Amino acid sequence: MMMGGETTHRTPNASQETYIKYETVKGYFLQDDDKTDSSKFNFKTSNFGLINRSYETDSSLDPTQAKTQWQRFANHVELLNTKSAGNVQYKVLFMGRHGQGWHNVAETKYGTPAWDCYWSKLDGADGIVWDDAALTDVGKKQAEEVCEFWRTHLPEQGGGIPPPESYYVSPLTRAIQTAEITFGKLGIATFKPVVKELLREAIGVHTCDRRRPASYIREMFPSYTLEADFAEMDPLWTEDYREPRSARKVRMTELLDDIFANDENTFISFTSHSGAIGSLLEALSHRKFGLETGGAIPVLVKAEIVNGERKQPTIEPSETAPSCTVNPTQTASLASL
């Protein structure tokens, strides 16, 4: 975290003989507790899942001034960084899933088997366009609800949640729209979002996961910065190779390495996708935790530079779309009845 213009911790920067080991520090959020049911959990009614507890660092606070749970947590994380060894740092990642997109509507309409084997490879059908899917009105409302949650929980409103100091966004339209609706109207001075290529959803086959040209993003979202070397045309998407989960975990680990080595801020926002967030959680050794559209999850992360070479997982074959066992156009006709 930046305090008075100076950083309060050192940023690990792994060499070729070392790597960054990521660990979820448990005991701070309900979401990292195995007893918490993700299908029933609502972060907006549970203070983002922050557990009501005391910290050994509470004694460093002025006893004459009451502090919220989030303010005491932020103080605790700051002191963790201050007292940590030079090869260790802590960050709090707020990971938000985009609101409902038109691809979500289409998958529900046709059913997942027909969607995976046929419809997902089209740009759209039946008056619906899901190529680099945009948000539906429902998706926009979901993002607005998250915006209101942030608004009422920021320090100015007495909630004490530290606003993110850095904002990273997937290059897919629905994620950028979600970030803009969620944070753009809050007047947060640090809201200077950066579009990161690696933060996107599983790559390939599904047209909803093929991004638009860089020039389109610049024109439609001029306040967003594209990371260095961001290509004009999508360099990753292919029509015949669907990125498997093991490869997605490697990609998300590469993203984490980039951010932890180059961003000295402590509270960081990711606006992304269900698959991408699932792989981020896996890379952070967090338990599986599903997010509904518009959902979000915070994680306290310990990053430590260790000697040796990171063990890479075996990459499974491409998750190529399965063959249809039924006529997908017939399935669509039945679904409309």
Side-chain angles (χ1 to χ4, degrees):
M1 176 183 288
M2 301 293 293
M3 299 292 291
E6 297 181 358
T7 58
T8 58
H9 67 274
R10 298 152 300 284
T11 301
N13 192 0
S15 69
Q16 292 182 347
E17 294 78 26
T18 62
Y19 69 95
I20 304 177
K21 177 184 176 182
Y22 300 104
E23 175 187 354
T24 295
V25 188
K26 297 182 179 181
Y28 293 91
F29 294 100
L30 293 170
Q31 294 93 321
D32 58 52
D33 187 333
D34 290 336
K35 298 189 294 293
T36 302
D37 186 346
S38 63
S39 66
K40 300 177 181 178
F41 188 78
N42 186 340
F43 76 94
K44 296 190 293 292
T45 59
S46 61
N47 199 23
F48 235 136
L50 185 65
I51 296 172
N52 292 321
R53 51 163 288 187
S54 61
Y55 309 109
E56 63 273 17
T57 52
D58 286 347
S59 60
S60 66
L61 295 169
D62 185 348
T64 65
Q65 295 182 356
K67 298 292 184 180
T68 68
Q69 186 68 48
W70 270 100
Q71 288 170 325
R72 291 191 292 109
F73 172 70
N75 175 70
H76 178 65
V77 175
E78 181 181 335
L79 291 180
L80 283 177
N81 276 320
T82 300
K83 297 178 180 179
S84 68
N87 65 325
V88 173
Q89 69 167 302
Y90 296 85
K91 292 187 187 296
V92 179
L93 305 182
F94 295 104
M95 292 179 278
R97 182 185 177 188
H98 62 79
Q100 183 195 67
W102 283 109
H103 64 307
N104 300 126
V105 173
E107 183 173 354
T108 299
K109 172 181 173 64
Y110 302 123
T112 298
W115 168 257
D116 284 339
C117 76
Y118 179 78
W119 299 101
S120 65
K121 294 183 279 186
L122 306 180
D123 289 351
D126 300 326
I128 303 174
V129 177
W130 55 75
D131 174 27
D132 188 15
L135 293 181
T136 65
D137 287 344
V138 170
K140 294 175 183 177
K141 188 175 189 313
Q142 290 171 333
E144 289 168 355
E145 290 172 352
V146 179
C147 174
E148 187 58 26
F149 168 80
W150 274 103
R151 187 187 310 279
T152 58
H153 286 74
L154 289 173
E156 295 83 353
Q157 300 298 323
I161 295 183
E165 302 159 287
S166 300
Y167 299 79
Y168 298 105
V169 186
S170 157
L172 298 176
T173 296
R174 56 192 181 272
I176 303 176
Q177 288 178 312
T178 298
E180 183 62 24
I181 295 171
T182 301
F183 298 110
K185 298 179 181 179
L186 293 177
I188 299 175
T190 55
F191 183 58
K192 298 175 182 178
V194 177
V195 176
K196 301 288 283 186
E197 189 81 87
L198 296 182
L199 193 51
R200 60 199 292 173
E201 185 56 291
I203 301 166
V205 180
H206 296 193
T207 62
C208 59
D209 301 325
R210 179 179 61 201
R211 73 160 170 84
R212 297 174 191 265
S215 53
Y216 169 89
I217 300 174
R218 291 191 184 96
E219 179 181 357
M220 297 301 297
F221 306 99
S223 64
Y224 285 62
T225 299
L226 304 184
E227 67 179 331
D229 301 321
F230 193 85
E232 170 64 13
M233 303 306 295
D234 191 334
L236 302 178
W237 189 91
T238 60
E239 64 180 11
D240 57 357
Y241 177 86
R242 182 71 172 170
E243 180 185 41
R245 192 181 73 175
S246 55
R248 195 167 64 231
K249 178 185 176 183
V250 171
R251 172 162 60 91
M252 290 304 154
T253 303
E254 182 180 345
L255 171 76
L256 290 169
D257 287 347
D258 174 18
I259 290 173
F260 273 76
N262 296 296
D263 190 332
E264 294 186 333
N265 288 324
T266 300
F267 291 87
I268 294 177
S269 168
F270 290 163
T271 305
S272 189
H273 311 263
S274 60
I277 293 172
S279 292
L280 278 166
L281 293 177
E282 187 178 359
L284 296 169
S285 299
H286 191 285
R287 59 168 290 213
K288 291 183 178 180
F289 198 92
L291 296 180
E292 74 281 9
T293 50
I297 180 172
V299 181
L300 174 59
V301 179
K302 177 184 177 182
E304 179 182 9
I305 290 183
V306 297
N307 293 323
E309 185 176 351
R310 179 183 288 132
K311 183 179 179 181
Q312 298 293 356
T314 300
I315 304 300
E316 306 114 352
S318 164
E319 294 181 357
T320 303
S323 300
C324 290
T325 56
V326 296
N327 185 332
T329 55
Q330 182 180 7
T331 302
S333 298
L334 292 174
S336 64
L337 295 178

